[in-house]
Amino acid sequence: MLTALVCLGGCVLVAVVAVQLLLGERPWVDYAAVAGTLRDLRWTDPQPAVAGAAAALLGLVLLLTATIPGRPTVLPLAGPLPAGARRAGFTTSLRHAAQAADGVASARITLRRKKIVVTATTNRTAVEGLADAVREAVDHRLDALEPSPRPRVVVRVRAPRSTS
């Protein structure tokens, strides 16, 4: 995408300069000045070496962004048949399980590589045992879904009112 945007920018610049030349206006980029500057450069000058190093660095960055894996869109599930769950459906299922725990007003699920962070919001003033109840509900749903590998569950409880 980055390469496409750079190429698009170059094409737009060339098109604008071409239209300006056709209309007889002064172009943004003077072709004669650019050609004269490039013609006067020598291979031993530092500018070609800097341009080559920048191009090589840009190529390396693009290569790394293409080969480093991103966030998976389908999460693998264990079981007798190979299966997967979409990330959105997986988090929705876990959120519903967390919200089913008694006392939870809303829940937010954050998926990490090896853990699931559940942030449960409650209207209760006494939150003792609520984190364990949410963890148990989410673990029960994970037992049914059987993700591979199974992430650990971290629960955070937020109570809007003070307990004092």
Short mmCIF file of all heavy atoms in Angstrom, two decimals, residues 26-62:
data_model
loop_
_atom_site.label_atom_id
_atom_site.label_comp_id
_atom_site.label_asym_id
_atom_site.label_seq_id
_atom_site.Cartn_x
_atom_site.Cartn_y
_atom_site.Cartn_z
N ARG A 26 3.36 28.00 -16.16
CA ARG A 26 4.68 27.63 -15.62
C ARG A 26 4.51 26.37 -14.76
O ARG A 26 3.72 26.35 -13.82
CB ARG A 26 5.21 28.77 -14.75
CG ARG A 26 6.59 28.51 -14.24
CD ARG A 26 7.15 29.76 -13.56
NE ARG A 26 8.43 29.46 -13.01
CZ ARG A 26 8.71 29.44 -11.71
NH1 ARG A 26 7.79 29.75 -10.85
NH2 ARG A 26 9.92 29.14 -11.30
N PRO A 27 5.22 25.28 -15.11
CA PRO A 27 5.04 24.02 -14.37
C PRO A 27 5.68 24.07 -12.98
O PRO A 27 6.59 24.85 -12.73
CB PRO A 27 5.73 22.98 -15.25
CG PRO A 27 6.72 23.74 -16.04
CD PRO A 27 6.16 25.13 -16.22
N TRP A 28 5.15 23.20 -12.08
CA TRP A 28 5.72 23.09 -10.73
C TRP A 28 7.16 22.62 -10.78
O TRP A 28 8.00 23.07 -10.02
CB TRP A 28 4.93 22.09 -9.89
CG TRP A 28 3.58 22.56 -9.47
CD1 TRP A 28 3.08 23.83 -9.55
CD2 TRP A 28 2.56 21.76 -8.90
NE1 TRP A 28 1.80 23.87 -9.06
CE2 TRP A 28 1.45 22.60 -8.64
CE3 TRP A 28 2.46 20.42 -8.58
CZ2 TRP A 28 0.27 22.13 -8.08
CZ3 TRP A 28 1.28 19.97 -8.01
CH2 TRP A 28 0.21 20.82 -7.77
N VAL A 29 7.44 21.70 -11.68
CA VAL A 29 8.79 21.14 -11.82
C VAL A 29 9.29 21.47 -13.22
O VAL A 29 8.64 21.13 -14.21
CB VAL A 29 8.77 19.60 -11.61
CG1 VAL A 29 10.16 19.02 -11.76
CG2 VAL A 29 8.19 19.25 -10.25
N ASP A 30 10.43 22.13 -13.28
CA ASP A 30 11.00 22.51 -14.57
C ASP A 30 11.84 21.34 -15.09
O ASP A 30 12.85 20.96 -14.50
CB ASP A 30 11.87 23.76 -14.41
CG ASP A 30 12.41 24.26 -15.73
OD1 ASP A 30 11.83 23.93 -16.78
OD2 ASP A 30 13.41 25.01 -15.69
N TYR A 31 11.39 20.75 -16.19
CA TYR A 31 12.06 19.59 -16.76
C TYR A 31 13.51 19.90 -17.13
O TYR A 31 14.41 19.10 -16.89
CB TYR A 31 11.30 19.08 -17.99
CG TYR A 31 12.01 17.95 -18.69
CD1 TYR A 31 12.01 16.67 -18.16
CD2 TYR A 31 12.72 18.17 -19.87
CE1 TYR A 31 12.68 15.65 -18.78
CE2 TYR A 31 13.40 17.15 -20.50
CZ TYR A 31 13.37 15.89 -19.96
OH TYR A 31 14.04 14.87 -20.56
N ALA A 32 13.77 21.06 -17.71
CA ALA A 32 15.13 21.42 -18.15
C ALA A 32 16.07 21.52 -16.95
O ALA A 32 17.23 21.08 -17.01
CB ALA A 32 15.10 22.73 -18.92
N ALA A 33 15.60 22.08 -15.84
CA ALA A 33 16.45 22.22 -14.65
C ALA A 33 16.76 20.85 -14.05
O ALA A 33 17.91 20.57 -13.66
CB ALA A 33 15.77 23.11 -13.62
N VAL A 34 15.75 19.97 -13.99
CA VAL A 34 15.96 18.62 -13.44
C VAL A 34 16.92 17.85 -14.34
O VAL A 34 17.87 17.20 -13.86
CB VAL A 34 14.62 17.88 -13.27
CG1 VAL A 34 14.85 16.42 -12.89
CG2 VAL A 34 13.76 18.56 -12.22
N ALA A 35 16.71 17.90 -15.63
CA ALA A 35 17.58 17.17 -16.56
C ALA A 35 19.01 17.71 -16.52
O ALA A 35 19.98 16.94 -16.56
CB ALA A 35 17.03 17.27 -17.98
N GLY A 36 19.15 19.03 -16.41
CA GLY A 36 20.49 19.62 -16.33
C GLY A 36 21.22 19.21 -15.06
O GLY A 36 22.41 18.89 -15.08
N THR A 37 20.51 19.18 -13.94
CA THR A 37 21.12 18.77 -12.67
C THR A 37 21.54 17.31 -12.72
O THR A 37 22.64 16.95 -12.28
CB THR A 37 20.12 18.99 -11.51
OG1 THR A 37 19.73 20.36 -11.49
CG2 THR A 37 20.73 18.61 -10.17
N LEU A 38 20.68 16.46 -13.25
CA LEU A 38 21.03 15.03 -13.35
C LEU A 38 22.17 14.79 -14.33
O LEU A 38 23.01 13.92 -14.12
CB LEU A 38 19.79 14.22 -13.75
CG LEU A 38 18.67 14.14 -12.71
CD1 LEU A 38 17.48 13.39 -13.27
CD2 LEU A 38 19.18 13.47 -11.43
N ARG A 39 22.22 15.58 -15.42
CA ARG A 39 23.28 15.41 -16.41
C ARG A 39 24.64 15.81 -15.83
O ARG A 39 25.67 15.21 -16.16
CB ARG A 39 22.96 16.26 -17.65
CG ARG A 39 23.96 16.06 -18.79
CD ARG A 39 23.66 16.92 -20.01
NE ARG A 39 23.59 18.34 -19.66
CZ ARG A 39 22.51 19.11 -19.80
NH1 ARG A 39 21.41 18.61 -20.30
NH2 ARG A 39 22.54 20.38 -19.44
N ASP A 40 24.66 16.79 -14.93
CA ASP A 40 25.92 17.26 -14.36
C ASP A 40 26.45 16.37 -13.23
O ASP A 40 27.59 16.54 -12.80
CB ASP A 40 25.75 18.69 -13.83
CG ASP A 40 25.50 19.68 -14.97
OD1 ASP A 40 25.85 19.36 -16.13
OD2 ASP A 40 24.96 20.78 -14.68
N LEU A 41 25.64 15.44 -12.74
CA LEU A 41 26.09 14.54 -11.65
C LEU A 41 27.07 13.51 -12.19
O LEU A 41 26.97 13.05 -13.32
CB LEU A 41 24.89 13.82 -11.02
CG LEU A 41 24.04 14.62 -10.04
CD1 LEU A 41 22.88 13.76 -9.55
CD2 LEU A 41 24.85 15.08 -8.86
N ARG A 42 28.00 13.12 -11.33
CA ARG A 42 28.97 12.07 -11.64
C ARG A 42 28.75 10.92 -10.66
O ARG A 42 28.25 11.10 -9.56
CB ARG A 42 30.41 12.59 -11.50
CG ARG A 42 30.73 13.80 -12.32
CD ARG A 42 30.94 13.40 -13.79
NE ARG A 42 31.21 14.57 -14.60
CZ ARG A 42 30.39 15.03 -15.51
NH1 ARG A 42 29.26 14.45 -15.74
NH2 ARG A 42 30.70 16.09 -16.23
N TRP A 43 29.18 9.72 -11.06
CA TRP A 43 29.03 8.56 -10.18
C TRP A 43 29.84 8.70 -8.91
O TRP A 43 29.53 8.09 -7.89
CB TRP A 43 29.44 7.28 -10.92
CG TRP A 43 28.42 6.83 -11.92
CD1 TRP A 43 28.52 6.89 -13.27
CD2 TRP A 43 27.12 6.28 -11.64
NE1 TRP A 43 27.38 6.41 -13.87
CE2 TRP A 43 26.50 6.02 -12.87
CE3 TRP A 43 26.44 5.99 -10.48
CZ2 TRP A 43 25.23 5.48 -12.97
CZ3 TRP A 43 25.17 5.44 -10.59
CH2 TRP A 43 24.58 5.19 -11.82
N THR A 44 30.89 9.51 -8.95
CA THR A 44 31.74 9.68 -7.77
C THR A 44 31.20 10.73 -6.81
O THR A 44 31.74 10.89 -5.72
CB THR A 44 33.16 10.08 -8.22
OG1 THR A 44 33.08 11.26 -9.03
CG2 THR A 44 33.81 8.96 -9.00
N ASP A 45 30.15 11.45 -7.20
CA ASP A 45 29.55 12.46 -6.31
C ASP A 45 28.79 11.76 -5.17
O ASP A 45 28.34 10.62 -5.31
CB ASP A 45 28.59 13.36 -7.09
CG ASP A 45 29.32 14.26 -8.09
OD1 ASP A 45 30.54 14.44 -7.93
OD2 ASP A 45 28.66 14.77 -9.03
N PRO A 46 28.61 12.46 -4.04
CA PRO A 46 27.89 11.82 -2.91
C PRO A 46 26.38 11.69 -3.15
O PRO A 46 25.75 10.83 -2.56
CB PRO A 46 28.18 12.75 -1.73
CG PRO A 46 28.59 14.05 -2.32
CD PRO A 46 29.19 13.75 -3.65
N GLN A 47 25.78 12.50 -4.01
CA GLN A 47 24.32 12.46 -4.21
C GLN A 47 23.84 11.10 -4.75
O GLN A 47 22.84 10.58 -4.25
CB GLN A 47 23.86 13.59 -5.13
CG GLN A 47 23.98 14.97 -4.53
CD GLN A 47 25.32 15.62 -4.83
OE1 GLN A 47 26.27 14.96 -5.24
NE2 GLN A 47 25.40 16.92 -4.60
N PRO A 48 24.49 10.51 -5.77
CA PRO A 48 24.03 9.20 -6.21
C PRO A 48 24.18 8.12 -5.13
O PRO A 48 23.32 7.24 -5.02
CB PRO A 48 24.92 8.88 -7.42
CG PRO A 48 25.39 10.19 -7.91
CD PRO A 48 25.50 11.06 -6.70
N ALA A 49 25.22 8.21 -4.32
CA ALA A 49 25.39 7.23 -3.24
C ALA A 49 24.31 7.38 -2.18
O ALA A 49 23.75 6.39 -1.69
CB ALA A 49 26.78 7.39 -2.60
N VAL A 50 23.97 8.62 -1.83
CA VAL A 50 22.91 8.85 -0.85
C VAL A 50 21.56 8.39 -1.41
O VAL A 50 20.77 7.75 -0.69
CB VAL A 50 22.86 10.35 -0.46
CG1 VAL A 50 21.62 10.66 0.35
CG2 VAL A 50 24.12 10.73 0.31
N ALA A 51 21.28 8.69 -2.68
CA ALA A 51 20.02 8.25 -3.30
C ALA A 51 19.95 6.73 -3.35
O ALA A 51 18.89 6.14 -3.08
CB ALA A 51 19.88 8.84 -4.69
N GLY A 52 21.06 6.08 -3.67
CA GLY A 52 21.08 4.61 -3.70
C GLY A 52 20.89 4.01 -2.32
O GLY A 52 20.16 3.03 -2.15
N ALA A 53 21.52 4.61 -1.31
CA ALA A 53 21.34 4.12 0.07
C ALA A 53 19.90 4.31 0.53
O ALA A 53 19.32 3.42 1.18
CB ALA A 53 22.30 4.83 1.01
N ALA A 54 19.29 5.44 0.18
CA ALA A 54 17.90 5.68 0.56
C ALA A 54 16.97 4.69 -0.13
O ALA A 54 16.03 4.16 0.48
CB ALA A 54 17.50 7.11 0.22
N ALA A 55 17.23 4.40 -1.40
CA ALA A 55 16.41 3.43 -2.12
C ALA A 55 16.56 2.03 -1.53
O ALA A 55 15.59 1.28 -1.39
CB ALA A 55 16.77 3.43 -3.60
N ALA A 56 17.81 1.67 -1.16
CA ALA A 56 18.04 0.36 -0.55
C ALA A 56 17.36 0.26 0.81
O ALA A 56 16.76 -0.77 1.16
CB ALA A 56 19.54 0.10 -0.41
N LEU A 57 17.42 1.33 1.60
CA LEU A 57 16.75 1.34 2.91
C LEU A 57 15.24 1.24 2.76
O LEU A 57 14.59 0.48 3.49
CB LEU A 57 17.13 2.60 3.68
CG LEU A 57 16.55 2.73 5.08
CD1 LEU A 57 17.08 1.62 5.98
CD2 LEU A 57 16.88 4.09 5.66
N LEU A 58 14.68 1.98 1.81
CA LEU A 58 13.25 1.90 1.55
C LEU A 58 12.86 0.49 1.11
O LEU A 58 11.84 -0.05 1.56
CB LEU A 58 12.84 2.92 0.49
CG LEU A 58 11.36 2.91 0.10
CD1 LEU A 58 10.49 3.29 1.28
CD2 LEU A 58 11.12 3.82 -1.08
N GLY A 59 13.66 -0.12 0.27
CA GLY A 59 13.39 -1.50 -0.16
C GLY A 59 13.43 -2.48 1.00
O GLY A 59 12.60 -3.39 1.10
N LEU A 60 14.39 -2.29 1.91
CA LEU A 60 14.49 -3.17 3.09
C LEU A 60 13.28 -2.99 4.00
O LEU A 60 12.72 -3.97 4.49
CB LEU A 60 15.78 -2.86 3.85
CG LEU A 60 16.06 -3.73 5.07
CD1 LEU A 60 16.23 -5.19 4.67
CD2 LEU A 60 17.30 -3.23 5.80
N VAL A 61 12.85 -1.75 4.20
CA VAL A 61 11.67 -1.49 5.03
C VAL A 61 10.44 -2.13 4.40
O VAL A 61 9.63 -2.77 5.09
CB VAL A 61 11.47 0.02 5.25
CG1 VAL A 61 10.11 0.34 5.82
CG2 VAL A 61 12.56 0.57 6.14
N LEU A 62 10.25 -1.98 3.10
CA LEU A 62 9.11 -2.58 2.42
C LEU A 62 9.16 -4.11 2.49
O LEU A 62 8.13 -4.77 2.67
CB LEU A 62 9.05 -2.11 0.97
CG LEU A 62 8.68 -0.65 0.75
CD1 LEU A 62 8.79 -0.28 -0.71
CD2 LEU A 62 7.29 -0.38 1.27
#
